[in-house]
Amino acid sequence: MAWKVAVIVVATAVLATVNRYLIDAYWAELVFTALVTGAMAFCLSRMNRRL
């Protein structure tokens, strides 16, 4: 359970940091948000299979 929370916290921190400081266009924020969300969901589903 702690690993899943850690994955969510790391993904949220990366998303917030990149969207706040590195990306200017709103469409790029949406694309990056979709990619991070997809990667987080993939990691969580892989962790669910192993645990």
Side-chain angles (χ1 to χ4, degrees):
M1 179 70 171
W3 286 108
K4 290 181 183 180
V5 173
V7 168
I8 293 170
V9 168
V10 168
T12 303
V14 167
L15 181 65
T17 302
V18 170
N19 281 347
R20 175 82 172 130
Y21 297 109
L22 298 179
I23 298 178
D24 291 330
Y26 288 120
W27 66 268
E29 287 186 11
L30 290 173
V31 169
F32 188 72
T33 301
L35 291 173
V36 169
T37 304
M40 183 182 65
F42 176 76
C43 289
L44 289 174
S45 71
R46 296 285 293 186
M47 290 177 75
N48 220 11
R49 290 183 207 151
R50 290 184 186 170
L51 298 175

